[in-house]
Amino acid sequence: MVEIDDKLISDDVFARKFVCDLAACKGACCVEGDAGAPLEDDELEVLETIYDEVKPYMRSEGIEAINENGFFVVDTDGDFVTPLVNDRECAYVTFEEGIAKCAIEQAFNDGKINFKKPISCHLFPIRITPLTAYDALNYDDIEICKPACNCGEQLQVPTYKFLKEPIVRKYGQDFYSKMEAAAKLLKIRN
């Protein structure tokens, strides 16, 4: 583990290679799992605020799930998550040529909203676990991301570098610069 400010970062975030390969995985992270995307408290109101702009990008099944369950639900751990369609894919997922994509991100890309997507989605495969005095940033090693690991290995891109944009979005450029410095020190030690 590496400690930067009030964050504990798993060595895997620095050591593991990762670059999403949507052609291979088909966006499985938006479809697989036992709950929707984790949401931060400040994102709950955002989802409600942006819904009218996101709705035209959504599938009818997703709209129905939100009509029935709301913009977010509470999972079995008591955490806020996005609703699911048929206990499977995120209600905000769309499919384009067999690849799962995010309706929220599509609305963002088209300039309709200024919220890209939930930070948990943007940071994946890094998962944040809030602790008493720290945020723990762990690498979530799951089978559906094997293509991304293979692609990352081929391109030699560490996870933290691939996820620079969401890390900066969540914690700021100064924190990311400290991650880069830590990565150099880890390389020297190993």
Side-chain angles (χ1 to χ4, degrees):
M1 293 293 261
V2 173
E3 181 179 342
I4 300 174
D5 300 333
D6 57 350
K7 283 62 165 192
L8 294 175
I9 307 157
S10 164
D11 291 347
D12 284 344
V13 171
F14 298 98
R16 299 287 300 267
K17 309 295 190 267
F18 191 95
V19 173
C20 281
D21 185 355
L22 286 176
C25 75
K26 308 292 186 206
C29 58
C30 298
V31 177
E32 302 293 327
D34 55 2
L39 298 168
E40 297 195 350
D41 290 346
D42 63 334
E43 293 176 327
L44 305 179
E45 186 177 331
V46 171
L47 289 179
E48 186 172 352
T49 303
I50 64 173
Y51 183 66
D52 287 339
E53 287 77 28
V54 172
K55 187 176 177 180
Y57 295 87
M58 295 175 63
R59 298 175 309 131
S60 60
E61 300 92 334
I63 294 168
E64 186 177 315
I66 288 173
N67 287 341
E68 289 176 12
N69 300 297
F71 303 106
F72 52 86
V73 296
V74 177
D75 70 5
T76 56
D77 294 329
D79 298 321
F80 294 112
V81 296
T82 59
L84 297 177
V85 173
N86 298 323
D87 293 323
R88 192 161 162 77
E89 69 262 16
C90 174
Y92 297 97
V93 82
T94 63
F95 291 96
E96 189 176 297
E97 297 179 15
I99 297 175
K101 296 197 173 182
C102 178
I104 298 168
E105 187 170 16
Q106 289 175 317
F108 173 85
N109 290 341
D110 284 350
K112 304 290 184 187
I113 57 175
N114 62 4
F115 177 76
K116 185 164 188 155
K117 58 183 163 184
I119 194 66
S120 68
C121 300
H122 205 181
L123 277 170
F124 194 76
I126 294 176
R127 285 294 189 211
I128 299 171
T129 304
L131 305 172
T132 305
Y134 293 93
D135 274 355
L137 282 70
N138 292 298
Y139 179 92
D140 193 1
D141 187 11
I142 59 174
E143 186 66 28
I144 61 173
C145 288
K146 272 238 186 293
C149 296
N150 294 337
C151 188
E153 282 293 336
Q154 288 175 349
L155 299 172
Q156 285 298 294
V157 177
T159 302
Y160 82 95
K161 281 190 177 182
F162 177 71
L163 296 173
K164 178 181 180 178
E165 180 186 340
I167 291 169
V168 170
R169 174 183 162 201
K170 175 69 176 164
Y171 295 117
Q173 180 60 50
D174 184 55
F175 176 77
Y176 184 80
S177 296
K178 291 176 184 178
M179 286 186 77
E180 289 180 311
K184 287 178 187 170
L185 289 174
L186 287 172
K187 223 178 225 186
I188 292 169
R189 273 197 291 180
N190 296 329

